[in-house]
Amino acid sequence: MDAIRKQLDVLMGANRNGDVREVDRKYYDREVCRLFLAGLCPHELFQLTKMDMGPCPKLHSLQLRKDYEEAKAKGQDNYDRDLEDVIDRLIIECDRKITRALKRLDEEDAKAAIAISVSEVTQAPDIVELSKQIKEKLKEANRFDFEGKADMKIRALEEVEELRAKRADKQSILLLEAFNKDRASLPQPLQNAPQLAPFPAATPDPRIQEMINEKLKKAEDLGEQGMVDEAQKALEEAEALKKLPARQDPVQDSSKYTAADVRITDQKLRVCDICGAFLSVYDSDRRLADHFGGKLHLGYIQIREKLAELQVLV
C-alpha cells in the first residue's frame, strides 16, 4: 500500500484527497518542507531504492512553493542554503563510497586506478540536449499539476520517461564504446608465445564466489523488505557472476603461460563516479542502459546538478 500511495503522490500530488493540512498554511510554517520549496526533496528521489528515506514527514505543496518563490524574488526568504547543506552531505557520503570502491579495485587491479569517468564519457552534445528536454518537461508537468490538469501532467511525465529511456540507451552505447577500448587495453597473450595446451579443469574463483554470495544475501534482504524489483536485479547480477570464467589452476609447466593469460580471466570492474555502483567492462548495452535509467543513478544526477546550480547562485 505504501508503494501505491507513493506512486499516486507522484502522479496526483500528496494533497490529492484535499488534505486539510494545506488549508490556511503559509510557506514558512514548520510543517512545510523547505527542501521541496527550494526545488528538490531527497525523500522523493530515492523511493523504493536502497537509499529510500521513507516519505517526507513535511508538507509538499506547489501552491506554497509558488508563494515562496514570489517571496524569494522580493528578498524576503531564501532556503537555498538549507537544501545545499542536505544534498552536499548526500554527495559527500556517495563520493566517500566511490573513493573506497576505487581503493578496493586498485588493490586488486592497478588498472582500476585510472577507471573510466562515466560522467565524462557520457556527456555528448545529444545527451546534454536530452537532459535539457527532460528538465523542461518536468517543469511543464509541475505547471500542469499546479493548474489541476492531471491528465496533461501524466502525459508529460510519460514523455519524461521516454526521454530518460532514450538518454539511457545513448549513454549505454557511449560507455560501451569506452569499455571496448578499455578491454582492448587489458593484458593480452603475447603474439609470439608458444602454442598453449588446454588449461586444466577450472576451480571456482574465491573472489567471484564471495561476490555471488553477497549478491544472494542482498537479494534475500531486499526480498524481506518487499523490494521485489531490486531483489530480482540482485539475483540477475548473481547469475551473471556465475557465468564468468573461473580462475584456472596453475599447471606444472607454468613457463608455457604468461601472467596475462591468467589475469585476462579476471572480472574487470569499474565504478560509476555519479552514484558509486559497480559496472563491469563485460556488461551488455542493455545492462548499462538499466543502470543509467535506474532511480538511484537518476537521483544522484539530480542532486549533483542541483548542487552545481546552487553553488553558481552563491
Side-chain angles (χ1 to χ4, degrees):
M1 287 301 294
D2 287 341
I4 295 174
R5 190 179 297 110
K6 288 178 182 179
Q7 291 174 351
L8 288 173
D9 286 346
V10 171
L11 292 174
M12 303 178 67
N15 195 43
R16 63 186 182 281
N17 296 322
D19 193 332
V20 294
R21 289 190 309 157
E22 193 170 341
V23 177
D24 297 329
R25 288 294 182 201
K26 303 297 183 183
Y27 73 84
Y28 46 78
D29 288 346
R30 286 189 176 186
E31 295 82 0
V32 178
C33 178
R34 288 189 172 189
L35 304 183
F36 177 80
L37 297 180
L40 185 154
C41 177
H43 287 267
E44 295 183 324
L45 292 180
F46 301 116
Q47 291 175 353
L48 304 180
T49 74
K50 62 183 180 181
M51 284 289 293
D52 195 332
M53 302 175 183
C56 182
K58 297 195 174 184
L59 177 64
H60 289 192
S61 165
L62 289 172
Q63 176 60 57
L64 296 181
R65 176 188 277 178
K66 183 173 181 292
D67 294 343
Y68 159 73
E69 290 174 347
E70 291 174 354
K72 179 183 175 184
K74 298 175 182 177
Q76 295 176 2
D77 273 307
N78 191 330
Y79 300 150
D80 286 354
R81 179 55 62 85
D82 299 66
L83 177 58
E84 183 178 348
D85 289 344
V86 170
I87 61 178
D88 189 40
R89 287 197 296 271
L90 287 173
I91 291 175
I92 287 174
E93 183 180 343
C94 181
D95 287 345
R96 283 175 180 165
K97 174 185 173 184
I98 292 170
T99 300
R100 289 194 300 268
L102 285 174
K103 182 179 179 182
R104 172 184 164 190
L105 289 183
D106 188 26
E107 291 171 352
E108 299 175 0
D109 178 5
K111 177 71 170 58
I114 52 173
I116 290 170
S117 170
V118 173
S119 58
E120 289 182 7
V121 300
T122 58
Q123 286 304 304
D126 53 343
I127 301 295
V128 174
E129 178 58 31
L130 282 170
S131 296
K132 290 180 180 177
Q133 292 178 28
I134 290 170
K135 286 183 180 179
E136 291 303 316
K137 278 294 174 184
L138 285 172
K139 290 180 182 178
E140 189 176 291
N142 281 337
R143 189 175 72 251
F144 289 143
D145 191 13
F146 179 71
E147 295 172 353
K149 301 176 180 177
D151 291 343
M152 297 182 72
K153 177 191 175 182
I154 292 173
R155 193 175 304 119
L157 290 176
E158 288 174 347
E159 291 180 27
V160 166
E161 290 306 311
E162 291 174 2
L163 289 169
R164 281 177 170 169
K166 185 176 180 181
R167 181 179 66 179
D169 287 338
K170 287 181 176 292
Q171 286 178 313
S172 69
I173 292 172
L174 290 172
L175 188 59
L176 193 61
E177 290 174 354
F179 276 171
N180 285 335
K181 294 178 182 178
D182 196 20
R183 282 200 294 266
S185 69
L186 296 176
Q188 301 292 329
L190 299 176
Q191 294 294 325
N192 57 355
Q195 185 67 33
L196 303 181
F199 279 120
T203 57
D205 185 329
R207 183 166 62 87
I208 293 179
Q209 187 59 50
E210 181 182 353
M211 293 170 65
I212 292 173
N213 293 339
E214 290 176 357
K215 292 291 183 185
L216 293 175
K217 180 63 169 60
K218 178 182 177 182
E220 182 180 350
D221 293 340
L222 290 170
E224 291 177 355
Q225 298 171 33
M227 300 169 65
V228 179
D229 291 341
E230 296 291 324
Q232 181 62 36
K233 187 174 182 180
L235 287 174
E236 291 172 357
E237 290 170 352
E239 289 301 316
L241 287 170
K242 289 179 182 179
K243 295 177 183 178
L244 291 175
R247 186 181 298 279
Q248 306 294 335
D249 286 331
V251 292
Q252 269 190 337
D253 188 5
S254 59
S255 63
K256 290 185 178 181
Y257 301 93
T258 67
D261 293 324
V262 178
R263 288 186 64 237
I264 199 67
T265 65
D266 289 344
Q267 170 75 334
K268 300 299 176 182
L269 297 174
R270 300 294 178 257
V271 181
C272 176
D273 57 349
I274 294 174
C275 67
F278 280 108
L279 300 172
S280 169
V281 297
Y282 300 111
D283 277 340
S284 66
D285 56 347
R286 185 67 264 154
R287 172 70 192 283
L288 294 174
D290 288 342
H291 168 75
F292 287 118
K295 202 162 189 178
L296 194 66
H297 184 84
L298 292 174
Y300 274 110
I301 286 179
Q302 283 186 253
I303 63 175
R304 288 181 185 278
E305 289 178 346
K306 189 63 179 179
L307 182 61
E309 177 186 323
L310 293 172
Q311 290 173 338
V312 169
L313 296 175
V314 174

